[in-house]
Amino acid sequence: MFSKATEYALRATIFIAQKGTEEKKLSIEEIAKAIDSPKSFTAKILQALTKDNHIISSVRGPNGGFYLTEKSKQLPVRIILQAMGDEEVLEKCVLGLKQCSELQPCPMHSQYKSIRKQLKELFVTKSIKQFASEIKDGVIFINNS
Amino acid sequence: MFSKATEYALRATIFIAQKGTEEKKLSIEEIAKAIDSPKSFTAKILQALTKDNHIISSVRGPNGGFYLTEKSKQLPVRIILQAMGDEEVLEKCVLGLKQCSELQPCPMHSQYKSIRKQLKELFVTKSIKQFASEIKDGVIFINNS
DNA sequence: ATAAATAAAGACAAAACTATCTTTAATTAT
DNA sequence: ATAATTAAAGATAGTTTTGTCTTTATTTAT
Ligand code: FES
Ligand code: FES
């Protein structure tokens, strides 16, 4: 469904939203361990989400690390897909036709479109915060290494 | 959702099922043109679906080409994903956890599982033939170059 | 000021994916 | 038999993805 990079981005962002605060930031070390992802690769991903997109906030130096502002937590999870350049799946033809339309539907279109719509709905209507709070509420995991 | 190779495999197989017969086989040339895919790459893919999996039938030489037996046409489309080694998406955790389970659910699990179930249902319950006949029935396209 | 801690930036490498081209084998038509 | 046609097989190459390592910049604590 998504690239490894996007999977790590989603896991990391949700984890940071749940555990990090401006007072107690999370280091790349902690994050990579928590979500079971390669540290340097994850660093690159967080860098992108910080620099270009301001989805994640970061501070360098001692007691530095990553956290999310309240505003960021309220963004739809789709924003992460967007930042990672991996939201194509929410729009694209399941058979890879250059465009998906009612005018030129592929053989699977009529059956597939409702599934894709639900998927899009999930990423558009639910915020980062909502999934972060899932972890808090119940017995929910962000890794299972 | 799927790799390019799998997209081509799905399009090609559905197209061959609709247009090819044992009497009038389809050449790789025709197929690649019809589904708008790179010829040699598509050849490799059809080769795999022919050799290892016997989903597609082929004959070499003049008037040779590809077609599907009636039996093959009745296989679920999932068989193509299986042959391409690309059916992970039907089972896998949306966040990429090593396993998806009710016992160790990720933060998106409860919302995502029904979507994935519908996707799997689509590929398991519908046959190649059913999608091939979509092309025949209405105004349905297998390319839109 | 200096040292320590931490993210940012950049260079590099391995693996997977996508694609092309050439040669070989099989089949058919003449 | 021979030539023509077609898929099979194999070699190769480009691109993208995934991942690691090193150096630099920034911030904090002493
Ligand atoms: S055209 Fe294929 S999903 Fe719409
Ligand atoms: S654990 Fe993530 S979808 Fe089930």
Side-chain angles (χ1 to χ4, degrees):
Chain A
M1 167 104 12
F2 299 120
S3 67
K4 284 284 172 201
T6 298
E7 289 174 357
Y8 299 149
L10 288 165
R11 299 224 294 272
T13 306
I14 292 170
F15 175 73
I16 297 166
Q18 198 250 309
K19 288 280 194 183
T21 66
E22 185 157 8
E23 293 73 44
K24 192 165 188 330
K25 305 180 198 79
L26 303 174
S27 72
I28 185 61
E29 191 86 30
E30 294 176 89
I31 295 163
K33 179 170 282 186
I35 69 170
D36 187 33
S37 66
K39 193 172 67 174
S40 291
F41 192 35
T42 307
K44 278 278 182 282
I45 291 162
L46 296 187
Q47 210 178 109
L49 294 175
T50 300
K51 191 175 65 163
D52 304 332
N53 314 100
H54 304 287
I55 296 166
I56 299 178
S57 305
S58 75
V59 176
R60 291 198 258 201
N63 304 312
F66 299 89
Y67 67 99
L68 263 73
T69 62
E70 190 55 36
K71 199 174 169 190
S72 279
K73 289 185 191 176
Q74 281 164 13
L75 292 169
V77 278
R78 181 186 186 159
I79 202 81
I80 300 164
L81 305 186
Q82 206 168 58
M84 299 301 295
D86 205 3
E87 58 178 350
E88 204 184 28
V89 71
L90 304 184
E91 310 286 349
K92 192 184 158 185
C93 168
V94 67
L95 297 186
L97 298 193
K98 288 196 189 113
Q99 67 228 12
C100 167
S101 85
E102 297 296 334
L103 295 173
Q104 287 199 316
C106 75
M108 298 190 70
H109 176 87
S110 75
Q111 311 253 10
Y112 177 67
K113 66 180 174 184
S114 113
I115 295 170
R116 190 183 51 201
K117 188 178 176 183
Q118 292 170 61
L119 186 68
K120 183 168 175 179
E121 202 77 355
L122 179 59
F123 280 87
V124 168
T125 65
K126 304 290 173 184
S127 66
I128 293 166
K129 191 180 192 170
Q130 277 173 287
F131 291 119
S133 66
E134 288 267 340
I135 304 181
K136 214 169 273 174
D137 290 350
V139 185
I140 303 283
F141 299 78
I142 198 76
N143 79 67
N144 56 15
S145 46
Chain B
M1 168 102 13
F2 300 118
S3 68
K4 284 284 172 200
T6 299
E7 289 175 356
Y8 299 150
L10 287 166
R11 299 223 293 273
T13 306
I14 292 171
F15 176 72
I16 297 167
Q18 198 251 310
K19 287 280 194 182
T21 65
E22 186 158 7
E23 293 74 44
K24 192 165 187 329
K25 305 179 198 78
L26 303 173
S27 72
I28 185 62
E29 189 85 30
E30 293 177 271
I31 296 163
K33 179 170 283 188
I35 69 169
D36 187 34
S37 67
K39 195 174 66 176
S40 292
F41 192 35
T42 306
K44 277 280 180 284
I45 292 163
L46 296 187
Q47 211 178 108
L49 294 175
T50 301
K51 189 175 65 166
D52 304 331
N53 315 98
H54 303 287
I55 296 166
I56 298 177
S57 306
S58 74
V59 176
R60 290 197 262 201
N63 304 312
F66 299 89
Y67 67 98
L68 262 74
T69 62
E70 189 54 38
K71 201 173 168 191
S72 280
K73 288 184 193 177
Q74 281 164 14
L75 293 169
V77 278
R78 180 185 189 162
I79 201 81
I80 300 164
L81 305 186
Q82 207 168 58
M84 298 300 296
D86 205 2
E87 58 177 351
E88 205 184 27
V89 70
L90 304 184
E91 310 286 350
K92 192 185 159 184
C93 167
V94 67
L95 297 186
L97 297 193
K98 286 194 190 115
Q99 67 227 15
C100 167
S101 85
E102 298 296 334
L103 295 174
Q104 286 199 319
C106 75
M108 297 191 69
H109 177 87
S110 76
Q111 310 253 10
Y112 177 68
K113 65 180 175 185
S114 112
I115 295 170
R116 191 184 51 202
K117 187 177 177 185
Q118 291 170 62
L119 187 66
K120 184 168 175 179
E121 202 77 355
L122 179 59
F123 279 88
V124 168
T125 65
K126 304 290 173 181
S127 65
I128 294 166
K129 191 181 192 169
Q130 279 173 285
F131 291 119
S133 66
E134 288 266 341
I135 304 180
K136 213 170 269 172
D137 289 351
V139 186
I140 305 282
F141 299 77
I142 199 75
N143 80 67
N144 56 16
S145 45

